[in-house]
Amino acid sequence: MTLRAGREFLAIPGPTTVPDEVLRAMHRPAVDIYDGPLLALTDSLHRDVARVFGTKGRAYIYIANGHGAWEASLTNVLSKGDKILVLESGRFAVGWGENARRMGVDVEILPGDLRRAVRPEEVEARLKADTGRTIKAILVTQIDTASGVVNDIPAIGEARRAAGHDALLMVDAVASLGCMPFEMDAWGVDIAMAGSQKGLMMPPGLGFVAANERARAVHKTAGLRTPYWDWTERESDLHYLKYAGTPPEHMLFGLRQALDMLFEEGMDNAFRRHRLLAEATRRAIEIWSEGQALGFNIVAPHERSNTVSVVLTPGCDPDALRAWCRENCGVVLGQGIGALSGKAFRVAHMGHVNAPMLLGTIGVIEMALGAMGVPHGTGGVGDAIAWLGKQVGTV
Ligand SMILES: *Cc1c(COP(=O)(O)O)cnc(C)c1O
């Protein structure tokens, strides 16, 4: 006998829950791609994607996942043999850099640690040491979903400024856009990229890149440009060329709905919702950790992200725990990935998530810990509920 009937809840850090309103917006016939309302839709989406990134620069919408948007950002500003600096803090910046390496870019990794954020002072020191100004770009993630870390992007932008270096600052915001502040222009970010399937509440399939004037100037002489990703091609007035071919119409209908929902909630409120649900999760994890069988991957509390919590499991089998939650209760937790494979589980609190979804998820984890006999401090979920209640207050 299990308790899994009803809607399965996907608590993995992407793809995330797609709102019914978004699914409905996509459920309609195709339309003309050369004329009519689709043209205005494209304009509104380019404008609003740029708004979400916090830039007056341009946004580009690709039929791609995050890896595609990585490639789009690299090909548009780099040339073979260029040197870039990758700031390690988990898996994803390094993965992005690895793609650059395979394209013929000279990649240096500023070594980090899976359990902490990038240190801006180390970035500043490395850039200052680059007296010949050979580093053309810096790659970093805002939130790394493998480690659960959040990097301080404004401080990294400030480090570059303090070093007087002109390398392009390129940020992976796949796991953070729409969930926490991202102010591309104010923070000195030149290029940012994201995908549709995480904080933006869409199915996988759209990749986004935003670029400021500086990046677009570098673009003019980039040697790695290819027809599909090319910004210049996509800046054409011809609608067809804005997507380098047939527009992903249904994804665009869905994206319009998802962005409308985000704006209707208010981005600040969405950020606050993520912060509160993340903090409630962390309160439960903190108490469970008293049993010494599990604990946070990210050591410093202020470096733990508001979209995913990565839990190390030295005293239990994380995959057995995940299987218990899925099979008995219909909650799908994320597995540890990369170096944390088999050593951690991940709880996403990202995108279209509210209190019952989150409390249900951590309630099921606490059930599993009890049922499986994993030593843990008791009352974690109760503490999360009490804390959350105080934050939300009375209506
Ligand atoms: C998910 C993720 C990616 C990769 O996105 P795909 O759509 O799977 O290609 C890149 N960076 C970060 C930080 C992610 O969380």
Side-chain angles (χ1 to χ4, degrees), residues 33 51 80 116 126 135 139 143 148 181 203 238 254 260 309 341 367 378:
I33 59 173
R51 171 180 166 193
K80 234 184 186 48
R116 65 160 172 85
R126 179 64 193 90
I135 296 170
L139 270 50
I143 289 178
L238 288 177
D260 287 347
S309 294
S341 174
M367 268 172 76
T378 55

Side-chain angles (χ1 to χ4, degrees), residues 330-349:
V331 168
V332 182
L333 301 173
Q335 59 187 33
I337 58 171
L340 296 184
S341 174
K343 296 182 181 156
F345 66 87
R346 300 182 297 163
V347 188
H349 21 81

Side-chain angles (χ1 to χ4, degrees), residues 13 65-68 70 92 141 143-145 172 174-175 193 197-198:
N65 57 15
H67 282 68
W70 275 352
F92 287 95
T141 52
I143 289 178
D144 190 295
T145 25
D172 173 335
V174 177
M193 51 72 58
Q197 79 276 21
K198 297 193 182 178

Side-chain angles (χ1 to χ4, degrees), residues 266-312:
M267 298 227 293
D268 285 342
N269 199 75
F271 301 158
R272 179 160 186 263
R273 172 170 55 83
H274 279 85
R275 188 164 52 74
L276 296 186
L277 296 177
E279 183 55 29
T281 310
R282 291 191 284 260
R283 288 192 165 239
I285 296 168
E286 182 79 47
I287 290 179
W288 298 336
S289 303
E290 290 164 10
Q292 312 275 313
L294 54 82
F296 290 104
N297 178 52
I298 297 301
V299 177
H302 69 281
E303 294 180 352
R304 295 173 188 152
S305 86
N306 285 342
T307 60
V308 59
S309 294
V310 178
V311 182
L312 295 181

Side-chain angles (χ1 to χ4, degrees), residues 60-386:
Y60 306 89
I61 301 174
Y62 296 95
I63 304 172
N65 57 15
H67 282 68
W70 275 352
E71 195 161 323
S73 61
L74 298 169
T75 58
N76 271 292
V77 292
L78 296 175
S79 300
K80 234 184 186 48
D82 276 355
K83 182 183 174 99
I84 64 171
L85 183 67
V86 171
L87 312 183
E88 183 183 16
S89 65
R91 187 179 170 82
F92 287 95
V94 173
W96 192 7
E98 175 60 16
N99 286 13
R101 194 190 59 72
R102 290 172 61 185
M103 288 158 58
V105 172
D106 177 12
V107 178
E108 175 181 327
I109 294 179
L110 186 71
D113 182 316
L114 204 56
R115 305 201 62 189
R116 65 160 172 85
V118 169
R119 296 195 173 127
E121 61 277 15
E122 291 179 3
V123 179
E124 184 179 333
R126 179 64 193 90
L127 292 176
K128 276 188 173 149
D130 181 35
T131 49
R133 296 293 181 258
T134 56
I135 296 170
K136 297 282 186 258
I138 304 159
L139 270 50
V140 63
T141 52
Q142 187 174 30
I143 289 178
D144 190 295
T145 25
S147 65
V149 82
V150 58
N151 284 311
D152 187 343
I153 303 300
I156 292 167
E158 182 52 34
R160 180 189 58 174
R161 207 194 54 76
H165 204 292
D166 64 356
L168 294 173
L169 179 56
M170 302 176 58
V171 179
D172 173 335
V174 177
S176 50
L177 198 69
C179 309
M180 65 171 287
F182 192 84
E183 293 293 339
M184 181 162 157
D185 292 350
W187 297 349
V189 174
D190 299 295
I191 297 175
M193 51 72 58
S196 51
Q197 79 276 21
K198 297 193 182 178
L200 297 177
M201 306 181 285
M202 279 280 292
L206 292 181
F208 309 111
V209 175
N212 67 9
E213 286 304 324
R214 226 161 70 83
R216 289 172 66 220
V218 172
H219 161 77
K220 295 201 168 68
T221 56
L224 286 172
R225 288 164 59 174
T226 58
Y228 184 73
W229 305 119
D230 199 280
W231 292 341
T232 300
E233 191 86 356
R234 284 162 182 263
E235 286 167 17
S236 162
D237 287 335
L238 288 177
H239 188 251
Y240 192 69
L241 292 183
K242 292 184 201 240
Y243 300 96
T246 304
E249 300 187 328
H250 295 81
M251 295 295 281
L252 302 179
F253 299 145
L255 180 63
R256 183 66 268 159
Q257 179 65 30
L259 292 176
D260 287 347
M261 288 171 70
L262 185 61
F263 297 152
E264 194 181 324
E265 177 181 7
M267 298 227 293
D268 285 342
N269 199 75
F271 301 158
R272 179 160 186 263
R273 172 170 55 83
H274 279 85
R275 188 164 52 74
L276 296 186
L277 296 177
E279 183 55 29
T281 310
R282 291 191 284 260
R283 288 192 165 239
I285 296 168
E286 182 79 47
I287 290 179
W288 298 336
S289 303
E290 290 164 10
Q292 312 275 313
L294 54 82
F296 290 104
N297 178 52
I298 297 301
V299 177
H302 69 281
E303 294 180 352
R304 295 173 188 152
S305 86
N306 285 342
T307 60
V308 59
S309 294
V310 178
V311 182
L312 295 181
T313 49
C316 77
D317 175 351
D319 298 325
L321 181 97
R322 289 191 314 109
W324 194 98
C325 293
R326 186 181 64 241
E327 279 152 31
N328 294 303
C329 296
V331 168
V332 182
L333 301 173
Q335 59 187 33
I337 58 171
L340 296 184
S341 174
K343 296 182 181 156
F345 66 87
R346 300 182 297 163
V347 188
H349 21 81
M350 182 191 294
H352 191 58
V353 185
N354 61 16
M357 291 152 115
L358 187 276
L359 294 174
T361 300
I362 61 177
V364 164
I365 297 171
E366 197 168 287
M367 268 172 76
L369 294 173
M372 295 175 67
V374 176
H376 66 286
T378 55
V381 174
D383 190 68
I385 292 171

